[in-house]
Amino acid sequence: MAKPMAISGNFAAAYSTKQINPHIVAAYPITPQTLMMEKFSEYVANGEVDTELICVESEHSAMSACIGAAAAGGRVITSTAANGLALMFEVVYIAASLRLPMTMCVMNRALSGPINIHCDHSDAMGVRDSGWIQVFNENAQEVYDTMFQACRIGEHKDIKLPVMVNFDGFITSHKVERVDVLDDDVVQDYIGKFEPMYPLLDVDNPLTYGPLDLFDYYFEHKRQQVDAMQKALPIIEKEMKAYGKVSGREYGIMESYHLDDADYVIICMSSTAGTTKFVVDRMRAQGKKVGLLKLRLFRPFPAKQIAEQLAGVKRIAVLDRSESFGAFGGPLFTEVRNALYDVNDKPGITGYVYGLGGRDISADQIEGVFNKLISAPDKMIGDIQYLGVRGD
Amino acid sequence: MKHTIPQEEYMERGHMACLGCGGAHAMRYLLKGLGEKTIIALPACCWAVIPGVYPYSCMDIPLQYVAFEVTGAAISGIEAALKAKGKKDGTTVVGWAGDGGTADIGIQALSGAVERGHDVKYVCYDNEAYMNTGIQRSSATPRGAWTTTTPVGSTKAWKQTPKKNIVEIMVAHEIPYTCTASVAYPEDIIRKAVKMKEIEGPCYMQILAPCPTGWKYPPEKTIEIARLATETCIFPIYEVTDGKYKINKRIRDDKKKNIIDYFRTQGRFRKLDETTIQQIQSSVDAEWELLKKKEKCFGEEI
Ligand SMILES: Cc1ncc(C[n+]2csc(CCOP(=O)(O)OP(=O)(O)O)c2C)c(N)n1
Ligand code: SF4
Ligand SMILES: [Mg+2]
């Protein structure tokens, strides 16, 4: 029977990892990820899992050990944040291009420098082109549930890609919330036994992973990666929905909140979606037609689905928790605006960058964003604004 | 009155270390030896927090924060810039990192820097774990120690492998000077700092810097515990100058304390069983005998 627990996002990630009981976990400590690994180390020390835990000497080695273990045919989980993910950069690409399913939790944190340990999405956005599936989670419950979905999705025979389970550093990683957990056997039934396709360990059928691959074939291999990502989208949608039958909690690649009749919409990801829901409720009570589109799946980017969701909306504000220096707007803004290019009767769209380095975002600030949308002139220009920063 | 410790301070009041932090002492004494013409590169570690959060700082010398794994490379660059701009005169370039930043993630950059022969001084303050991130094991964590990633459970307990011997790894690089030091012996730290400053070429210093938070002992015991580490010979104080070994804190056989006296002072060793303690005692004894032999064979000519 499902039971409620009062746990943090990190604990939820550790607990779900315990229930998955992967063959290998390799990780390196970094704030705000450490509590997940510490909790998991306890499970290992108490014999509650069969996992081989490798406490490596850097994140570059963590990801490389995961790549070795996954190519060998293991079910693999790791986690990191910020500078750790940045140090992994080289091998993050290799994991995806070798088509190795694995799950990595990223407790999103600002990149250096200057050094900062608090939340923004610059770490995950730095590897958005690496070929990983990226899911952003609003709260600890979502983290817990997405860990299992990630196994099914990444290991699906038509996908075979690594999955990044993102959640907000400290805000979600450390906040204690109610999380309804499943029984171990329910989890095991759902994720199933991992059957690797081409394990290195199969010495009777020797294989080479990642050979020298020049202008004759490299491009085709990249094209296959593109295909895998495209094919992944409907499978991910199906898997997230199917998870509802197992847990009673159905997920989508995005969540719409009072969107049906909304004229003014905020699009954002992760914990800020929670604050926005609160603001939507408050403004709806005053009769304002506001709504939220919370995006869970960032890669592959569901451009068509977003365009469909936003048809008929008057004005949109996209909230980015990372900067893309020199670009026209943050990563989410550019993607969303791009998705709307072919839509008739395009909504007005504006972008905000907020919350860098853990700068708090308040309900009042979000209400201010809605109010600005409501009072904007008809012809809105897609300016980029900065929310909650001095000097703006 | 003659002071054995210089009165100048380059680390001011208002730092952010925990009460009784060995690492804070270590930096303070090192700077007293190195003096004001010192530039420090600092990777992620407790010491990235200790100077203060912007816009505050307790440090009176130039400081560059660098990524966790790159201290050796960063000081190579700073030293090369001093050379290129003709400003090297009397300025000491120091890399200051924790044991994790030295023995684990930073060992490649450190090895590269000293092999190239840069005139840099690399100082590791050794608190035997990743303290800044909440007491996870490093390769410099000694065998038998509890950390959050080597917890004591029903089927596995403590760190099973011995402490990585970075000092001997540095000696193997055949650099001009390698030494250990301890916050229990400030005059020794200062003498060694002065010596490093005078040597042209790469030097390595490893300072034992007990951590009340991570080792689980009351903050007022830092110096006592550091001294016990040397008196039990688990952390001997010695230096290797141009390949010649010299033990600086000689422990007479009849004065040598048992390792259990050291372990008893710290919560991190609390649940250690008798057999393991005996095994650790034997390896400490063997290492100490080996060090004495090295001093005899590769010591300074008498
Ligand atoms: C690439 C990277 N990985 C991980 C971290 C997280 N991190 C910061 S300090 C630290 C531990 C430092 O340990 P040590 O070098 O022994 O210094 P101490 O904190 O013990 O003084 C870690 C793992 C980081 N900042 N950068
Ligand atoms: S945790 Fe330990 S090393 Fe870090 S500041 Fe506190 S006492 Fe010093
Ligand atoms: Mg340390």
Side-chain angles (χ1 to χ4, degrees):
Chain A
M1 267 305 289
K3 61 170 186 215
M5 288 173 88
I7 54 178
S8 67
N10 275 342
F11 196 126
Y15 194 78
S16 52
T17 303
K18 173 174 98 112
Q19 292 187 301
I20 291 169
N21 195 12
H23 297 108
I24 294 99
V25 168
Y28 192 71
I30 184 161
T31 306
Q33 158 263 29
T34 44
L35 292 171
M36 172 187 177
M37 291 321 303
E38 292 175 6
K39 192 72 213 161
F40 193 74
S41 299
E42 281 175 32
Y43 297 140
V44 173
N46 287 322
E48 292 177 74
V49 286
D50 308 307
T51 308
E52 286 289 328
L53 171 65
I54 320 177
C55 294
V56 285
E57 76 292 343
S58 78
E59 288 85 358
H60 196 268
S61 294
M63 183 43 63
S64 299
C66 289
I67 289 171
R75 186 177 255 159
V76 178
I77 295 181
T78 184
S79 66
T80 190
N83 296 42
L85 184 56
L87 182 59
M88 278 183 188
F89 186 85
E90 177 195 22
V91 275
V92 161
Y93 274 70
I94 291 177
S97 52
L98 295 184
R99 306 288 299 275
L100 297 172
M102 64 177 78
T103 302
M104 172 157 62
C105 293
V106 178
M107 293 65 164
N108 299 116
R109 157 183 157 179
L111 287 174
S112 296
I115 192 166
N116 177 299
I117 55 169
H118 292 284
C119 174
D120 70 37
H121 297 167
S122 55
D123 51 5
M125 288 304 163
V127 292
R128 66 186 187 271
D129 295 337
S130 64
W132 282 60
I133 291 166
Q134 291 183 310
V135 186
F136 285 77
N137 297 283
E138 182 187 329
N139 51 38
Q141 182 74 62
E142 270 196 42
V143 173
Y144 175 79
D145 291 329
T146 303
M147 289 296 284
F148 308 131
Q149 299 164 22
C151 283
R152 292 274 300 198
I153 291 166
E155 294 166 11
H156 192 284
K157 68 174 178 21
D158 295 330
I159 301 182
K160 296 280 171 208
L161 285 172
V163 182
M164 196 178 292
V165 178
N166 294 280
F167 50 104
D168 284 349
F170 285 109
I171 302 165
T172 305
S173 69
H174 283 56
K175 185 178 57 188
V176 173
E177 299 176 78
R178 177 195 165 121
V179 175
D180 289 315
V181 302
L182 304 172
D183 288 340
D184 292 356
D185 52 341
V186 174
V187 169
Q188 283 298 326
D189 280 352
Y190 171 68
I191 62 172
K193 197 166 170 286
F194 177 48
E195 304 285 359
M197 251 166 144
Y198 304 109
L200 270 183
L201 295 188
D202 184 1
V203 287
D204 297 329
N205 298 297
L207 275 175
T208 301
Y209 267 89
L212 182 65
D213 183 16
L214 304 180
F215 37 69
D216 300 329
Y217 287 104
Y218 180 89
F219 203 171
E220 279 73 28
H221 288 139
K222 291 293 125 182
R223 187 68 184 82
Q224 287 172 357
Q225 247 181 285
V226 175
D227 276 348
M229 269 288 189
Q230 279 166 354
K231 277 195 198 138
L233 194 50
I235 300 172
I236 296 170
E237 280 188 289
K238 232 174 70 197
E239 284 296 343
M240 286 185 177
K241 217 170 162 166
Y243 180 74
K245 291 210 183 68
V246 180
S247 64
R249 290 179 297 276
E250 193 179 298
Y251 286 89
I253 54 176
M254 58 187 89
E255 179 187 340
S256 30
Y257 193 74
H258 290 286
L259 205 60
D260 288 347
D261 64 338
D263 289 332
Y264 310 99
V265 173
I266 281 181
I267 303 182
C268 64
M269 301 196 293
S270 295
S271 66
T272 306
T275 320
T276 309
K277 285 175 187 169
F278 171 80
V279 175
V280 168
D281 288 347
R282 198 159 81 178
M283 295 180 76
R284 283 273 169 178
Q286 300 159 6
K288 297 189 176 142
K289 291 174 90 178
V290 295
L292 161 74
L293 182 62
K294 172 183 98 177
L295 193 60
R296 264 170 50 78
L297 185 69
F298 186 75
R299 284 288 182 268
F301 192 79
K304 279 210 185 76
Q305 290 84 338
I306 287 181
E308 278 163 22
Q309 287 288 325
L310 296 175
V313 163
K314 281 195 186 133
R315 288 171 200 141
I316 301 168
V318 183
L319 308 190
D320 265 288
R321 200 161 196 156
S322 65
E323 176 60 79
S324 178
F325 297 100
F328 176 35
L332 187 56
F333 172 79
T334 47
E335 296 275 0
V336 171
R337 196 170 191 266
N338 194 3
L340 296 175
Y341 186 79
D342 295 323
V343 172
N344 296 329
D345 230 356
K346 284 190 237 326
I349 185 165
T350 183
Y352 287 86
V353 173
Y354 75 97
L356 300 191
R359 176 65 54 86
D360 220 1
I361 178 153
S362 67
D364 287 347
Q365 282 169 329
I366 292 173
E367 184 160 346
V369 170
F370 274 128
N371 282 332
K372 260 179 119 170
L373 286 184
I374 293 168
S375 62
D378 272 349
K379 263 262 163 269
M380 256 179 76
I381 30 165
D383 261 352
I384 305 304
Q385 301 163 70
Y386 291 81
L387 206 52
V389 66
R390 285 189 284 261
D392 249 46
Chain B
M1 191 168 122
K2 188 175 177 326
H3 297 282
T4 55
I5 294 177
Q7 300 239 285
E8 292 80 9
E9 297 287 357
Y10 303 100
M11 181 186 158
E12 302 287 345
R13 280 169 295 181
H15 67 74
M16 289 181 62
C18 313
L19 208 62
C21 173
H25 286 277
M27 173 70 95
R28 180 167 172 238
Y29 293 133
L30 181 87
L31 288 178
K32 282 171 179 281
L34 292 177
E36 63 179 338
K37 288 183 85 174
T38 303
I39 300 174
I40 290 191
L42 188 69
C45 57
C46 271
W47 250 100
V49 178
I50 294 172
V53 176
Y54 181 88
Y56 302 102
S57 172
C58 70
M59 300 297 281
D60 281 344
I61 45 135
L63 205 61
Q64 189 193 4
Y65 280 62
V66 301
F68 192 21
E69 64 283 356
V70 302
T71 312
I75 51 179
S76 303
I78 297 171
E79 189 253 2
L82 283 180
K83 246 200 237 160
K85 306 208 97 180
K87 291 194 172 161
K88 235 179 130 259
D89 239 15
T91 305
T92 313
V93 179
V94 176
W96 170 274
D99 49 291
T102 302
D104 292 339
I105 201 165
I107 194 169
Q108 171 178 331
L110 167 60
S111 176
V114 301
E115 186 277 331
R116 287 189 300 271
H118 292 279
D119 184 16
V120 291
K121 319 299 155 191
Y122 190 107
V123 184
C124 166
Y125 71 103
D126 185 4
N127 53 26
E128 303 193 316
Y130 298 150
M131 294 312 177
N132 182 239
T133 37
I135 329 170
Q136 297 84 20
R137 91 193 276 283
S138 82
S139 61
T141 302
R143 181 177 172 204
W146 162 93
T147 68
T148 55
T149 48
T150 53
V152 182
S154 52
T155 56
K156 276 196 182 131
W158 328 296
K159 183 170 180 254
Q160 298 286 328
T161 53
K163 182 180 174 84
K164 189 189 275 185
N165 194 336
I166 289 288
V167 180
E168 290 302 320
I169 292 172
M170 297 319 292
V171 172
H173 280 75
E174 299 185 14
I175 55 177
Y177 185 67
T178 302
C179 65
T180 64
S182 162
V183 294
Y185 308 105
E187 286 95 342
D188 182 66
I189 297 180
I190 292 161
R191 180 185 67 77
K192 286 171 173 166
V194 171
K195 185 166 175 178
M196 289 201 300
K197 196 175 160 71
E198 283 163 3
I199 291 172
E200 170 104 23
C203 299
Y204 177 82
M205 182 189 228
Q206 186 158 327
I207 309 178
L208 186 70
C211 162
T213 312
W215 294 13
K216 307 287 174 213
Y217 66 81
E220 68 274 15
K221 298 275 182 202
T222 294
I223 304 302
E224 204 176 305
I225 288 173
R227 195 177 302 123
L228 267 174
T230 298
E231 289 170 349
T232 53
C233 298
I234 196 169
F235 196 94
I237 305 298
Y238 67 105
E239 61 193 337
V240 185
T241 315
D242 293 324
K244 295 187 175 62
Y245 282 72
K246 186 171 190 321
I247 298 172
N248 308 115
K249 295 287 162 199
R250 206 164 291 285
I251 309 297
R252 278 182 18 207
D253 286 350
D254 59 333
K255 289 273 167 64
K256 184 165 171 272
K257 294 189 172 144
N258 284 333
I259 201 67
I260 185 85
D261 297 340
Y262 175 65
F263 284 172
R264 273 212 195 103
T265 59
Q266 302 157 56
R268 63 174 173 156
F269 295 114
R270 200 176 59 221
K271 295 199 176 156
L272 216 46
D273 63 291
E274 199 49 45
T275 321
T276 313
I277 293 173
Q278 278 322 311
Q279 286 167 355
I280 296 173
Q281 180 71 64
S282 311
S283 64
V284 167
D285 293 345
E287 288 285 332
W288 174 242
E289 290 308 315
L290 181 64
L291 180 63
K292 287 199 288 188
K293 276 186 197 145
K294 283 180 185 165
E295 189 188 38
K296 220 168 158 187
C297 299
F298 314 111
E300 282 168 13
E301 287 97 46
I302 305 157

